[in-house]
Amino acid sequence: MNIDNVAAPGEVFNYAQYLFELNRERADKTAYIDDQGNLSFAELDTGSRSLGAALLAAGIHREERVLLLMHDCNDWPVSFLGAIYAGIVPVAVNTLLTADDYLYMLQHSRARAVLVSSVLLPVLQEAMDKGSHEVSTVIVSRPSDELSGGAQSLQDFLQQHKPLRHPSTTSRDEPAFWLYSSGSTGKPKGTVHSHANPYWTTELYARGVMGINEQDLCFSAAKLFFAYGLGNALTFPLSVGATSLLFAGRPTPDAIFERLIEHQPTIFFGAPTGYAGMLAAPDPPARDQLALRLAVSAGEALPADLAQRFSKHFGVDVIDGIGSTEMLHIYISNQPGNVQFGSSGWPVPGYEIELRGDDGRPVADGEIGDLYVKGPSTAIMYWNNREKSRDTFQGEWTKSGDKYLRNENGSYTCSGRSDDMLRVSGMYVSPFEVEATLVEHPAVLEAAVIGKADAEGLIKSKAFVVLADGQQASEDELKTFVKDRLAPFKYPRFIEFIDELPKTATGKIQRFRLREREAGA
């Protein structure tokens, strides 16, 4: 699908209203299935508009922020879309953070209200007790006990007001919602997205690449607070009248398999860590037990061996791609029926890609360069962070922070994050390339590579390796395994076996945590 063939949203455009109008004719169809029941499109529409009315009545004004700290459940899309319908800006945040993190986000966003899951209320309260904030209203999803301190249940909050009849008259270019960057490189940044941005990711990627349709049942292991999960479980399915399956818990292999079998979703969205865990499980379901027609991977580059084994076992394409919080979703991707294992695929039509060297000029095919992307879903800015905004959003181009190379057939292969690249013996080493080779070894479940100074102070590569259950391997065995497959200077000089890699809640490996660990050793 070419962007020239896609109608742009009008200048006056409210994204929530757009979705509600798309689905008015399928009012009785199920939009969401969560751990406790179903939510129809009509219930989503009415509940969201009631939420918008209640927020306005509580004194929350247009363009003010509300923090959305909630596990994936049917209340999540009601809260998110209800705020947007009223012109209020929801700030979706990670549910696995500390009270200090939430205090920072409350203060940084100046949120006037919080919509929170009952099990997360204690950590929210701890955050609010730690410092000053502007929160005047706390709304609790599915409280199990009587609430105190002025907090209200979401159900009671909705019932106090009739649904708004008309949406806020918003512009396609004004802020609609925030997402905090996942923190794979340090402190999260408040990434501000417009009303039009999710429209473009849906048209160009979900429709144009995935071919999503009304008959699909979508199931995302990535949670809704993550840009990837927001598209997978909200903007994509709602844009075509498909159904989405939500669950609040951790996406363990057993939890995923249970839902794949019970509910028979047709599209599954995961990250490389999750796919590795599914394949390492002792008894994964057979392909004829499932209804999958497509699997999608993002968050980190998917190793070729892992993608091939998943496709072989489950009988579906795994289309790996790269996206970002700044671009909202995937902008380079493999395609159903056209998968190049080990690569991120080709630019999604509607997006342009440039790879630039240290001098800012384009690099030749086969050379590693910094990835820049241009497309209609680019975030507006990082809130209250002029320096980072200028560095990342450079005119029409967005600097991704990733190192890539372009192959002869026009596909792109990941070489890692720009700040993760290693220079060994005067030559660049991609941590991802070494990691992808290590996980080809049958004993290795996961690996992460960083730089470590040797006795002479020279940087060499060090691999942190997680072995699969019941497997054994020696350092020398793994070093030889890599030497036999890559250029000699790329093999890891140091290997340390650990039980678990540090990751963000969305599955990205936090190599900076490993560097901190190494520095403190």
Side-chain angles (χ1 to χ4, degrees), residues 214-244:
E214 184 178 0
Q215 284 69 49
D216 280 316
L217 172 56
C218 299
F219 177 35
S220 176
K223 300 301 185 180
L224 281 161
F225 64 77
F226 182 30
Y228 179 44
L230 181 67
N232 304 342
L234 195 150
T235 65
F236 291 178
L238 293 184
S239 71
V240 295
T243 300
S244 188

Side-chain angles (χ1 to χ4, degrees), residues 4 45 82 103 110 119 135 141 156 178 180 279 347 363 385 391 399 476 520:
D4 295 332
D45 183 325
L103 177 60
R110 297 197 294 275
V119 295
V135 175
S141 170
D156 291 344
W178 295 15
Y180 275 96
L279 287 171
V363 301
N385 197 332
D391 183 55
K399 183 172 72 174
D476 289 342

Side-chain angles (χ1 to χ4, degrees), residues 13-203:
F13 182 73
N14 182 289
Y15 185 68
Q17 178 196 26
Y18 164 75
L19 291 180
F20 297 155
E21 289 183 350
L22 281 179
N23 293 295
R24 289 270 157 78
E25 294 183 357
R26 53 177 68 89
D28 295 332
K29 183 181 178 183
T30 298
Y32 283 96
I33 304 168
D34 73 1
D35 299 327
Q36 297 187 23
N38 297 352
L39 184 76
S40 71
F41 280 96
E43 290 169 331
L44 174 64
D45 183 325
T46 302
S48 298
R49 291 187 294 113
S50 296
L51 188 280
L55 287 174
L56 292 173
I60 316 300
H61 301 109
R62 175 173 168 164
E63 299 184 9
E64 290 184 326
R65 274 76 61 193
V66 295
L67 207 72
L68 180 49
L69 175 58
M70 194 179 292
H71 289 307
D72 283 17
C73 67
N74 292 343
D75 288 341
W76 206 106
V78 168
S79 301
F80 184 79
L81 294 175
I84 290 175
Y85 191 84
I88 295 166
V89 180
V91 180
V93 298
N94 188 331
T95 58
L96 299 173
L97 301 180
T98 67
D100 287 338
D101 294 320
Y102 295 132
L103 177 60
Y104 165 76
M105 291 173 176
L106 287 172
Q107 294 175 334
H108 181 249
S109 67
R110 297 197 294 275
R112 293 289 316 286
V114 182
L115 296 143
V116 59
S117 291
S118 59
V119 295
L120 297 171
L121 186 57
V123 70
L124 171 66
Q125 191 60 59
E126 181 184 351
M128 294 170 64
D129 291 342
K130 276 176 171 276
S132 61
H133 56 79
E134 299 184 25
V135 175
S136 60
T137 304
V138 175
I139 309 304
V140 184
S141 170
R142 301 176 178 177
S144 55
D145 300 311
E146 186 173 340
L147 297 173
S148 60
Q152 304 177 61
S153 77
L154 181 61
Q155 184 177 12
D156 291 344
F157 194 60
L158 295 179
Q159 291 176 349
Q160 292 174 11
H161 300 278
K162 294 181 179 179
L164 287 175
R165 294 184 61 188
H166 303 291
S168 177
T169 307
T170 50
S171 162
R172 64 190 175 195
D173 293 328
E174 75 177 78
F177 59 93
W178 295 15
L179 299 170
Y180 275 96
S181 61
S182 60
S184 61
T185 56
K187 203 170 189 65
K189 299 175 288 293
T191 311
V192 182
H193 279 284
S194 71
H195 282 261
N197 284 0
Y199 170 89
W200 286 115
T201 58
T202 295
E203 292 298 314

Side-chain angles (χ1 to χ4, degrees), residues 494-521:
F494 310 97
I495 292 180
E496 180 178 339
F497 296 99
I498 60 175
D499 294 331
E500 186 178 13
L501 296 176
K503 296 172 190 157
T504 69
T506 53
K508 292 183 181 180
I509 297 170
Q510 293 177 310
R511 292 173 185 81
F512 76 95
R513 298 289 185 201
L514 296 173
R515 289 192 288 268
E516 291 173 353
R517 167 182 170 143
E518 194 64 29

